[in-house]
Amino acid sequence: MNTSLKVEGLTVEFAGVDGDVTVVENVSFSIKPGEILGLVGESGCGKSVTSLSIIGLLPDAGRVSSGAIRFEGHDLLKLSGEEMRKLRGNRISMVFQEPLASLNPLFTVGEQIREVIALHKGGSSESVRRKGIDLLEKVGIPMPEKVYGSYPHSLSGGMRQRVMIAIALACRPGLVIADEPTTALDVTIQAQILELMRTLVRESGASILFITHDLGVIAEMADRVAVMYAGQIVEEGDVYSLFERPLHPYTQGLLKSTVRIHDVSDELDSIPGTVPTPKEMPGGRCRFADRCSSASGRCFQEEPSLVVVGDRSVRCLNISQGEETV
């Protein structure tokens, strides 16, 4: 089966005063061309670090200590800085959570679109300008010629995010990484942006790694879902079966803690405790055991591996024994 992106055994460490700290450990997943993979989990579980590892934008303190990231025949971890720059913004693009922090306030929207197109595709000044305006029109921006000459601060949050999507799609990438791209937007604009991304990216045949903590967004956007907890993938499967019958206790807890419009009960379920920090990560046992109502003595003594159960991959000792947690 063709894959656009394949991440194998990715482990990321950050240098600290007391030594290196592992924040992502042995993470593996793949995305097929035209597929949307949702990467979900609480804040601090390693989702964004995973995405920054793929695109080669880890901060100076971070490093990939082991694993491979393969994209269109390249192992991205073996590319030079120059080779990675040729891919970034061209074959791999990223849409960040807060566009105002990602767009340069000193340059117009047009200048920032033009820079990407000119760097990777070239062309005359007028053809690049025309392509930039066409992109803005394609992402649903009214009066695209006016916006092309505008500065980011003069646009609304929804418009700025549309500009970011236009920049991300400017060179027809094979992979778009979207890291919480709608979190800062109101519900109406969020729905429009999600529909826009789904339509535009699928028209181009690109893949999306969609990172969020919002399961409602994942239900609407994703074909498959990978659930992350404490730096590890704990469950992966297609979106329909995972939402219909979650196997890992953490996935079950996430779904139970989601507000449902037809639920008339006064209480909302929650997962007790918090995600352990990288420095507090328990070793040699299940990382979720302290928060799991189904944990047994074995869960505090053995570290579960990711095992295949039917159409799913699950990291749970009870599941690996042929039992389903409830």
Side-chain angles (χ1 to χ4, degrees):
M1 183 68 70
N2 262 346
T3 58
S4 174
L5 175 73
K6 189 169 186 178
V7 177
E8 301 174 289
L10 178 67
T11 298
V12 181
E13 297 178 347
F14 274 69
V17 176
D18 300 321
D20 291 347
V21 177
T22 300
V23 294
V24 169
E25 184 175 341
N26 197 26
V27 164
S28 299
F29 59 83
S30 61
I31 313 176
K32 293 181 286 189
E35 182 178 53
I36 300 176
L37 174 69
L39 187 60
V40 302
E42 294 169 271
S43 296
C45 69
K47 305 187 301 297
S48 293
V49 170
T50 299
S51 69
L52 293 174
S53 301
I54 294 169
I55 205 166
L57 290 177
L58 280 173
D60 291 340
R63 69 180 184 91
V64 176
S65 59
S66 64
I69 302 173
R70 306 184 193 282
F71 174 72
E72 294 185 344
H74 304 282
D75 185 342
L76 301 186
L77 300 179
K78 294 181 179 179
L79 298 184
S80 67
E82 181 60 30
E83 290 171 326
M84 196 65 208
R85 279 190 290 274
K86 288 179 181 179
L87 281 179
R88 192 187 304 124
N90 183 16
R91 296 303 300 152
I92 305 175
S93 294
M94 192 157 186
V95 181
F96 292 94
Q97 177 176 341
E98 180 42 69
L100 195 57
S102 304
L103 294 168
N104 192 321
L106 302 179
F107 295 93
T108 65
V109 166
E111 287 173 313
Q112 295 183 65
I113 295 177
R114 184 168 65 241
E115 181 182 22
V116 174
I117 298 174
L119 177 64
H120 295 294
K121 299 298 182 184
S124 68
S125 178
E126 179 55 30
S127 68
V128 170
R129 177 180 175 276
R130 189 68 254 168
K131 184 173 182 180
I133 292 172
D134 288 344
L135 278 166
L136 293 178
E137 185 175 15
K138 193 171 186 180
V139 297
I141 290 180
M143 298 184 292
E145 292 196 18
K146 179 181 178 181
V147 171
Y148 189 83
S150 301
Y151 287 89
H153 72 267
S154 67
L155 306 177
S156 68
M159 291 276 273
R160 288 193 292 263
Q161 197 59 288
R162 288 174 189 268
V163 169
M164 285 297 298
I165 293 171
I167 292 173
L169 298 178
C171 297
R172 296 184 66 85
L175 173 68
V176 176
I177 301 173
D179 190 357
E180 303 274 8
T182 60
T183 299
L185 306 177
D186 66 52
V187 175
T188 302
I189 302 301
Q190 181 185 80
Q192 293 173 0
I193 295 296
L194 293 177
E195 179 61 29
L196 172 66
M197 289 189 69
R198 185 167 48 237
T199 301
L200 292 180
V201 177
R202 283 202 164 142
E203 281 179 357
S204 69
S207 308
I208 304 181
L209 175 59
F210 199 100
I211 299 168
T212 183
H213 64 275
D214 190 330
L215 289 171
V217 169
I218 287 297
E220 184 178 346
M221 282 290 290
D223 300 304
R224 290 188 301 115
V225 187
V227 181
M228 244 184 136
Y229 182 79
Q232 297 178 329
I233 300 288
V234 295
E235 183 166 3
E236 182 184 347
D238 76 85
V239 65
Y240 298 107
S241 61
L242 188 139
F243 272 68
E244 180 69 25
R245 192 172 61 91
L247 297 181
H248 196 280
Y250 179 61
T251 312
Q252 293 169 5
L254 287 178
L255 289 170
K256 287 178 181 177
S257 62
T258 302
V259 177
R260 291 173 172 78
I261 194 167
H262 300 299
D263 190 350
V264 295
S265 63
D266 294 328
E267 294 187 5
L268 184 66
D269 288 325
S270 63
I271 304 173
T274 58
V275 181
T277 66
K279 286 185 178 181
E280 299 168 339
M281 209 68 74
R285 65 182 182 88
C286 175
R287 297 182 178 184
F288 187 62
D290 291 325
R291 306 176 68 190
C292 181
S293 60
S294 304
S296 62
R298 185 182 178 207
C299 301
F300 293 90
Q301 299 169 354
E302 297 180 35
E303 185 169 358
S305 57
L306 202 62
V307 296
V308 176
V309 180
D311 60 353
R312 213 84 55 87
S313 297
V314 190
R315 189 183 300 274
C316 180
L317 292 169
N318 292 328
I319 295 294
S320 66
Q321 290 177 292
E323 305 168 7
E324 288 189 15
T325 57
V326 293

